[in-house]
Structure formats: C-alpha cells, structure tokens
Amino acid sequence: MLHLVTGHLDEVHITAENQGKLNTQIFGNDNFVFEYGRDFEASKISNNLVRVYDGLGMIEGRQFELEDGDYEDITVDNGTQNTSRKDLIVARYTKDNETAIETISFVLIKGEDSSTPVRPDYNDGSILAGDDIVDFPMFEILIEGLEISSITALFDIKDGIDETLSEITTEMIDEWWGETLEDGDELEY
C-alpha cells in the first residue's frame, strides 16, 4: 500500500526507517561524523579511561549524537607488561526483534595481547539489510604494556550537505542519467 510519509494522517505513522531511508538518499549510506561540536573527539583520561566528547554522526541513515557539552567515559581493561593490544570503540546500533526498538551506544571491543596486535573483529552488518547489530568503528586504541599509547579516530568528518554534493563526479551523473554529458549540455527533467 502506498504510504504518504510526510502527510498528516491523524495517527503516528512516520518511522525511523522512513527517515533513515530518506537520509541515505541525501547523505549516502556510509557511516560518518558531521562537522559539529567537538566531532566525537576522544582523549585519554587515564590508562583505563577514554573520554569521548560531543558530536553528531550518521550510521547508514540513522542519525546519532552526543549532545553539546556532554561526554561519555569508556573503561579500558588493563594492558599487560611486555605486550601490546588494539581495542576498538564502536558506536553499536541494535534493534530488538520483538519490540522493534532501536538503540545506539559506545561499546569497547577488546583485542588480543600480542607482540604484533591486530584490530579485533566487530559486527560488520547492515541496518539497510535488516541486521540487528551493526558496529560503526570509531576509534582504535593502542595499548603498549600498561599504557594507552594512542587513540586513532577511524571515521570521516563531513561538513554537511555541501561536502556531500561536492563529492558528486561527472561519472556519477552520467551513470544516473544513463548517458554521457558533454560541456554545455543541458539537463532535461
């Protein structure tokens, strides 16, 4: 049945899925952070605590944010002397199959101690494909011995719709239009 999403129907009928689909058409279905607030800046508070500051992000069309001036502290397990480890901080999207309630939270995924540490696995799924758990890797934490030695952001920062539009190439336009455009060609709608 055809659904008028943005019309008044005298009942609640606009879903997160409706808005998410629209967002993917405007911004694409990538995971990224908007240039907003502190852009989810992360800092080491101690060797067991990383603080993530405010920001605005998108995970496959689902907008999420840490409100202005707010932050979240993420606990990191102790390192081990004479070895290294890579942990991930992900923004984890979850959808409850019974209630259809969707949530997002920061989750730390602990890596393995090693002389040559590798990034741990994460839930590389797709909200659009119906997966219930999808991780957006946001930070890689390198722990050397007992100390956090680095925190690396893994996301792209976009400056809103202007940057998204600037990424459109003539090849993309040709593909959408189904023909090659030449200089001076006029687009007919």
Side-chain angles (χ1 to χ4, degrees):
M1 176 165 77
L2 197 56
H3 175 200
L4 181 60
V5 175
T6 55
H8 179 70
L9 299 182
D10 203 28
E11 63 182 8
V12 176
H13 67 99
I14 301 172
T15 67
E17 185 178 3
N18 296 140
Q19 187 61 47
K21 287 177 186 175
L22 178 61
N23 287 344
T24 63
Q25 295 305 302
I26 296 170
F27 301 107
N29 63 352
D30 297 331
N31 302 335
F32 61 89
V33 169
F34 286 105
E35 187 175 300
Y36 183 84
R38 291 181 71 173
D39 304 328
F40 292 113
E41 172 190 340
S43 64
K44 171 182 157 180
I45 302 301
S46 73
N47 285 318
N48 294 105
L49 202 63
V50 171
R51 180 167 289 169
V52 179
Y53 296 93
D54 57 349
L56 177 64
M58 189 76 70
I59 179 170
E60 286 190 64
R62 298 301 203 269
Q63 175 188 333
F64 65 98
E65 74 175 308
L66 193 51
E67 294 181 355
D68 293 349
D70 203 0
Y71 61 84
E72 282 195 32
D73 289 336
I74 294 119
T75 302
V76 178
D77 287 351
N78 286 332
T80 305
Q81 284 185 326
N82 303 319
T83 188
S84 298
R85 187 179 81 227
K86 288 184 178 180
D87 291 353
L88 281 179
I89 295 175
V90 300
R92 178 167 288 167
Y93 163 92
T94 59
K95 182 175 183 178
D96 184 293
N97 277 328
E98 291 181 28
T99 65
I101 292 175
E102 299 168 293
T103 60
I104 195 159
S105 60
F106 288 122
V107 173
L108 182 102
I109 301 174
K110 183 179 175 181
E112 297 290 328
D113 289 326
S114 171
S115 58
T116 55
V118 295
R119 192 178 290 169
D121 291 335
Y122 59 91
N123 296 297
D124 187 22
S126 170
I127 296 168
L128 301 173
D131 291 331
D132 298 330
I133 300 175
V134 179
D135 290 339
F136 172 8
M138 298 202 57
F139 300 99
E140 178 182 272
I141 303 168
L142 177 60
I143 299 124
E144 295 180 307
L146 301 176
E147 299 208 15
I148 293 175
S149 63
S150 67
I151 303 170
T152 305
L154 302 174
F155 50 81
D156 293 327
I157 298 176
K158 293 190 178 188
D159 186 18
I161 192 72
D162 290 339
E163 185 170 337
T164 301
L165 292 174
S166 72
E167 294 173 0
I168 295 174
T169 65
T170 54
E171 290 81 14
M172 294 165 82
I173 293 172
D174 291 344
E175 182 180 328
W176 298 333
W177 236 256
E179 61 184 86
T180 301
L181 299 175
E182 303 294 331
D183 285 343
D185 283 352
E186 291 186 26
L187 299 176
E188 294 182 21
Y189 302 99

